[in-house]
Amino acid sequence: MATEHLSPLDLAFWRIESAAHPMHLGALAVFEAAGPAGPGAVSAAERAAALLADRCAAVPGLRRRIRDVLLPVGAAAWSPDPGFDPARHVFLVRTDAADPHAAAGPLMARPLDRELPPWEAHVLAGPDPQSFAVLFKFHHALADGMGALALAAALFDGFDQASPLRTPARPVPEQRAGSALRRLPGALAARVQDVGQALEIGAAVARGGLPLGVPAALVADYPGAGGASGGRAVAGLALDLDEVNLVRKGAGGTVNDVLIALVAGALRRWLAERGDPAPRGPGPRALIPVSRRGRPGTGAGNRLSGYLLRLPLAEADALRRLDSVRAGMDRNKDAGPARGAGAVALLADHVHPLGHRLGGPLVAQAARLLFDILVTSVPLPGIAFTLGGSRVRAVYPLAPLACGQSLAVAVSTYQGTVHYGLVADAAAVPDLAALTGALRAELDELVRQVS
């Protein structure tokens, strides 16, 4: 059997991980049980844990682990786990917390076992025996957000690996070389084009990557620098998609523009409530990941680029903030996802595997130089998920937190509801719940202005 090496970007995510900054994605699925259990019956959470343990063994992508290889030097490859044991991946967690996000924080802070297939599912059994939640964790080397969705879906009722998730594809603009380049032999032309793209991205990072107007609240201490970095706080907020669409129709732009603008406005409100100085300057740089998949939800690994966008925190008016976000995103889309300072993920292709192994820790420490906050969107299919008949009523995506940063924001839309998932450095952001309130207040203000 041929060796399947990790792609350069997958390898980069594997190498930059540290104990204080694990590189796994998460999704917190909140369930409603199918019905009350009879006397002596197992709880809904226990049934869910048993189903997940039974089904995960049948999903090939969940049985593979990562191993270093001799050649190429510094590379790593996928290999089957001969001792695969579902009990080392599916856990039943009993908690008295009514909000499953409280239990999710410490679990998100805990790195995955790098000797095992890099994923876990924690079934959170709360005080109500007929409701539960499941926290899925997938290492970023295993999948990006859309790939993780496909892996998780294979564990739900009615799905298998042969049932692709049908979600709207985002076309990726084709990058055309100039006429002189097209006359070169194919391999040489491709190499010249790749080098030119890398130089262009590097120049864009140098031009637009200055950390100007970054609030202190978005900066976390580095581990070992006297701070308590490493702990995680998790919070979630559900908003009505109809209200978001009302704003979109009244102000223009896309749903994603509105969702990003809500983050900008919420940060401004949150900083004011904390008593922090009023935002000044061009604002923090948000990294907006962009999928480069031909068909969403198919295949493992990462197929990502990104846009870099200044969040206009200094703008006092909510509609003007939305206009600024829309204009910035329009400029990014005109340039395409393979250009600009946000396309730094594409530079991984130009690094030798040994460079990833030796330079991974340095790259991780440099995240603060490249962007200030991650704001990512994970599209979900327009269907309801169930597990053993229990319906998923909410899905909160959770993103990894980069070294030196205090906050990461992920958002998805499920069954007519927008779900924000917030992951924060627990020491730097002790008031994460206040930020969810600020998101709600920002949407209320935009709805008021367009009504």
Side-chain angles (χ1 to χ4, degrees), residues 177-185 189 192:
S179 57
L181 183 58
R182 287 196 297 269
R183 289 194 295 268
L184 293 173
V192 171

Side-chain angles (χ1 to χ4, degrees), residues 292-305:
R292 301 174 67 240
R293 292 177 181 271
R295 186 175 67 186
T298 59
N302 290 268
R303 302 176 190 177
L304 293 172
S305 184

Side-chain angles (χ1 to χ4, degrees), residues 208-219 260 263-268 270-271 278-288 307-315 321 324-325 368 370-375 405-407:
L210 296 178
L212 302 173
V214 183
L218 294 183
V219 179
I260 296 171
V263 174
L267 288 174
R268 178 182 170 86
W270 176 61
L271 293 171
R280 301 179 61 183
R285 301 157 300 168
L287 180 62
I288 316 290
Y307 297 140
L308 201 67
L309 177 73
R310 292 279 185 178
L311 298 181
L313 270 58
E315 174 54 61
R321 282 195 296 272
S324 178
V325 166
R368 190 189 290 177
L370 300 174
F371 63 99
D372 306 305
I373 182 173
L374 178 71
V375 182
Q405 298 177 2
S406 71
L407 180 66

Side-chain angles (χ1 to χ4, degrees), residues 26 38 63 79 106 118 136 139 142 165 174 208 246 277 288 300 312 315 324 326 331 354 359 376 419:
R63 297 176 58 98
S79 65
F136 294 98
H139 200 286
L142 174 63
L165 296 176
E174 180 182 356
L246 178 66
I288 316 290
E315 174 54 61
S324 178
R326 182 179 60 199
R331 288 192 295 270
L354 183 60
T376 184
H419 296 100

Side-chain angles (χ1 to χ4, degrees), residues 155-181:
L155 302 174
F156 288 106
D157 299 341
F159 288 91
D160 57 50
Q161 290 255 300
S163 301
L165 296 176
R166 302 294 184 180
T167 52
R170 295 181 180 179
V172 177
E174 180 182 356
Q175 301 298 311
R176 294 193 175 95
S179 57
L181 183 58

Side-chain angles (χ1 to χ4, degrees), residues 343-438:
V344 289
L346 301 183
L347 296 181
D349 292 337
H350 303 278
V351 178
H352 188 276
L354 183 60
H356 285 296
R357 173 180 283 183
L358 299 179
L362 295 176
V363 173
Q365 295 284 336
R368 190 189 290 177
L369 300 177
L370 300 174
F371 63 99
D372 306 305
I373 182 173
L374 178 71
V375 182
T376 184
S377 177
V378 182
L380 299 181
I383 55 176
F385 291 105
T386 61
L387 179 62
S390 296
R391 186 178 70 88
V392 176
R393 63 177 175 85
V395 181
Y396 297 93
L398 303 172
L401 192 59
C403 184
Q405 298 177 2
S406 71
L407 180 66
V409 179
V411 59
S412 65
T413 301
Y414 175 72
Q415 295 291 284
T417 302
V418 174
H419 296 100
Y420 278 93
L422 310 178
V423 177
D425 182 293
V429 185
D431 57 342
L432 185 60
L435 185 54
T436 64

